């Protein structure tokens, strides 16, 4: 078992210590390669986008009863505000109905190859799908209004239609998707 100031790790299970309220980019230093399951106490209120960077085996989430900010739905770590915070690394996932935002780095470096975004999604965060195995987005929803910087960078996308509803599109959103056929219908594009 290893212990940091914010969590313990035993047999691949990382338990964030009760009383920790913020999970930031350096929270899992020293256990990223071993962490398979993450258990959050009710005290966690904030998780920053890059908190799970290089947690390449993370496959399961558990949130303590009484946590007012996070929950697990369809295997995904979700904010109770409708934000998909993080998806499992190795397996396909169905994005929960009612999800309004795909959070920053939510699918970063995952093995996901295809995704269907629910109609409720209005925003895709920075690096949300970047460096993943994503080859198909079927389709981007008509209510989508914001796609942030580098959201789909270094994926394997072949064809994407950006709907008319998009009002803001960030820098390098589809960068390094070689051979991508892009249909831009939005006014902001």
């Amino acid at each position: 078992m290893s212990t940091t100031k914010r969590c313990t790790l035993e047999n691949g299970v990382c338990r964030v210590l009760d009383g920790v309220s913020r999970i930031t980019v350096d929270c899992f230093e020293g256990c990223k390669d071993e962490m398979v399951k993450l258990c959050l106490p009710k005290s966690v209120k904030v998780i920053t986008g890059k908190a799970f960077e290089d947690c390449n085996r993370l496959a399961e989430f558990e949130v303590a009863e009484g946590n007012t900010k996070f929950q697990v739905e369809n295997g995904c770590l979700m904010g109770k505000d409708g934000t998909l915070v993080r998806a499992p690394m190795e397996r396909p996932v169905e994005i929960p109905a009612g999800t309004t935002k795909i959070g920053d780095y939510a699918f970063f470096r995952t093995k996901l190859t295809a995704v269907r975004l629910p109609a409720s999604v209005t925003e895709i965060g920075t690096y949300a799908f970047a460096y993943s195995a994503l080859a198909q987005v079927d389709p981007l929803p008509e209510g989508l209004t914001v796609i942030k910087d580098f959201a789909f960078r270094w994926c394997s996308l072949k064809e994407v239609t950006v709907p008319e509803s998009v009002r803001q599109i960030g820098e390098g959103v589809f960068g390094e998707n070689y051979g991508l056929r892009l249909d831009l219908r939005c006014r902001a594009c």
Side-chain angles (χ1 to χ4, degrees):
M1 179 166 87
S2 65
T3 304
T4 69
K5 292 178 182 174
R6 291 176 246 168
C7 60
T8 62
L9 179 72
E10 185 172 10
N11 298 322
V13 178
C14 179
R15 296 186 185 283
V16 176
L17 301 175
D18 198 24
V20 172
S21 62
R22 294 179 58 84
I23 296 178
T24 60
V25 70
D26 61 346
C27 185
F28 304 117
E29 283 302 319
C31 63
K32 291 179 178 187
D33 292 334
E34 299 174 47
M35 182 173 30
V36 175
K37 180 178 180 178
L38 176 65
C39 301
L40 298 178
K42 63 182 181 181
S43 59
V44 173
K45 306 291 184 226
V46 176
I47 300 175
T48 64
K50 290 181 81 171
F52 302 110
E53 186 175 27
D54 298 326
C55 296
N56 297 325
R57 296 179 57 213
L58 186 55
E60 187 178 352
F61 304 95
E62 181 180 298
V63 177
E65 189 175 320
N67 186 302
T68 59
K69 298 292 183 181
F70 300 100
Q71 62 191 6
V72 178
E73 198 172 338
N74 292 359
C76 296
L77 180 60
M78 299 288 300
K80 289 190 176 177
D81 64 355
T83 299
L84 192 151
V85 177
R86 183 65 186 185
M89 287 297 294
E90 300 280 331
R91 64 184 171 84
V93 65
E94 181 180 332
I95 296 174
T99 299
T100 56
K101 178 181 177 183
I102 306 298
D104 296 348
Y105 296 87
F107 290 89
F108 187 76
R109 291 190 179 147
T110 64
K111 306 286 188 243
L112 181 77
T113 59
V115 67
R116 179 178 295 267
L117 298 176
S120 54
V121 172
T122 60
E123 182 177 320
I124 298 173
T126 303
Y127 286 99
F129 294 95
Y131 299 92
S132 69
L134 189 64
Q136 180 181 351
V137 177
D138 191 28
L140 289 177
E142 271 305 320
L144 183 65
T145 58
V146 176
I147 306 173
K148 292 194 172 177
D149 295 346
F150 310 111
F152 294 97
R153 184 180 182 146
W154 281 107
C155 293
S156 298
L157 293 169
K158 299 298 176 208
E159 186 175 342
V160 175
T161 299
V162 177
E164 194 174 317
S165 59
V166 172
R167 299 288 180 253
Q168 177 186 342
I169 192 161
E171 181 181 335
V173 167
F174 297 103
E176 285 69 53
N177 279 276
Y178 299 106
L180 174 63
R181 190 175 83 81
L182 196 55
D183 182 0
L184 300 172
R185 298 182 181 180
C186 62
R187 293 183 189 127
C189 301

